[in-house]
Amino acid sequence: MKVLKPDFDLNSFWHQVKQANQRILFFDYDGTLAPFRVQRDLAFPYDGIREILSDMINAGHSRLVLVSGRGIGDLQQLLGLRQPIEIWGAHGLERLHVDGNYEVGKLDEAAASGLLQARQHVENFAPASQYESKPGSLALHWRGLAQPKIKEIQGALAGHWIEIAQRANLILTEFDGGMELRVSGVNKGSAVRTVLNEMKDDAAAAFLGDDVTDEDAFAALSGKGAGILVREELRPTAADLWLKPPEELMQFLENWHKISGGV
């Protein structure tokens, strides 16, 4: 576990968590709570994750919020918790409340048409197991492929997707293991801001994430909580703290639970 910013005091952070009347813990899924897998439907949480999250839910000391680029249906099946938690899927376009209430943002006609065209195009270059169609986005995954094949797919798709993005007000981004075309103006940072606005100003908060798509969340939490990078190797980031999974990840979660009053 390593502090990344000179003005971030880890002891002060834990003191705030202990004294807070409200606590909120945000986390990404792939690469954060679970290891990356070539077969994405087998990306189950690290050992102990389900148990510590269940303990937190039962203790009731923190609001737990999962914020991921995946769709909510995938997240529920993979996370496998018996108790419901709040989930934001598709980079914040979908929201599932703890009480089961579901919300999804609406796409304008240009964005919906652009995503449909992109999917029709990608079907000619990649099997269905490599692309993921979600509300408001289309992701292409190339984890596990040889580098020449990745470059071939990028060459076949990137130019076309860039043209679609410009015409349909979409954004094209790369992530760890692929690239994605998605609606603009909605990201993990907007999800974090929405939830923070529902909490008291002095709530203790942290966001755990690994990918570049989590940088929007780190930025949204700046000055209001801790951004925590979870990955084996350090990369340029706006996060305050870096920890390696799974050992340091579990240590952090167990410490949060204990300091917050959990048994």
Side-chain angles (χ1 to χ4, degrees):
M1 191 176 299
K2 181 180 180 180
V3 173
L4 299 177
K5 294 183 179 178
D7 59 345
F8 180 77
D9 188 309
L10 186 56
N11 290 329
S12 296
F13 167 74
W14 285 124
H15 179 73
Q16 181 192 10
V17 173
K18 182 177 181 178
Q19 298 297 321
N21 291 320
Q22 288 187 330
R23 304 172 187 85
I24 182 163
L25 191 57
F26 300 94
F27 36 82
D28 176 43
Y29 188 76
D30 292 283
T32 302
L33 296 185
F36 287 112
R37 300 292 188 206
V38 174
Q39 291 181 273
R40 299 182 69 254
D41 58 345
L42 298 180
F44 298 113
Y46 291 111
D47 289 344
I49 291 294
R50 287 174 176 148
E51 290 77 9
I52 188 62
L53 294 183
S54 293
D55 288 345
M56 289 186 187
I57 295 170
N58 291 332
H61 54 60
S62 301
R63 180 175 178 179
L64 304 184
V65 183
L66 181 58
V67 186
S68 172
R70 281 191 188 250
I72 284 176
D74 283 353
L75 293 166
Q76 288 178 301
Q77 293 182 18
L78 289 170
L79 191 56
L81 292 176
R82 293 183 179 180
Q83 312 98 316
I85 65 169
E86 182 175 347
I87 303 177
W88 292 71
H91 300 282
L93 194 67
E94 295 182 289
R95 185 181 190 182
L96 181 65
H97 296 262
V98 175
D99 63 6
N101 185 37
Y102 173 79
E103 303 172 16
V104 62
K106 294 183 179 180
L107 304 185
D108 61 41
E109 185 175 342
S113 176
L115 289 170
L116 177 60
Q117 292 175 30
R119 174 166 182 169
Q120 291 172 339
H121 186 67
V122 77
E123 287 173 349
N124 296 322
F125 297 95
S129 60
Q130 282 182 232
Y131 61 86
E132 179 187 12
S133 185
K134 301 170 288 185
S137 69
L138 178 66
L140 176 68
H141 301 273
W142 53 58
R143 186 177 304 279
L145 297 181
Q147 194 61 36
K149 184 61 176 179
I150 293 174
K151 289 186 177 182
E152 177 187 338
I153 294 174
Q154 286 177 309
L157 294 178
H160 186 67
W161 280 22
I162 289 172
E163 186 274 328
I164 291 176
Q166 293 172 341
R167 171 167 42 84
N169 193 28
L170 299 168
I171 58 174
L172 179 60
T173 58
E174 286 199 13
F175 58 89
D176 192 349
M179 65 181 185
E180 185 167 23
L181 191 64
R182 56 189 173 91
V183 295
S184 61
V186 179
N187 55 47
K188 295 178 181 180
S190 57
V192 168
R193 285 189 291 271
T194 297
V195 174
L196 288 177
N197 287 337
E198 298 171 352
M199 306 288 286
K200 294 181 179 179
D201 291 338
D202 60 350
F207 187 103
L208 289 81
D210 70 293
D211 206 344
V212 292
T213 61
D214 297 308
E215 292 297 320
D216 292 318
F218 296 153
L221 206 55
S222 179
K224 302 177 182 179
I228 302 171
L229 183 68
V230 181
R231 58 185 288 131
E232 285 293 332
E233 296 181 356
L234 183 62
R235 61 164 177 78
T237 180
D240 302 290
L241 188 67
W242 169 42
L243 55 85
K244 296 183 179 181
E247 290 83 6
E248 291 182 348
L249 170 64
M250 284 299 301
Q251 179 185 351
F252 178 90
L253 294 175
E254 289 169 353
N255 205 29
W256 179 287
H257 180 49
K258 181 179 179 180
I259 288 176
S260 300
V263 179

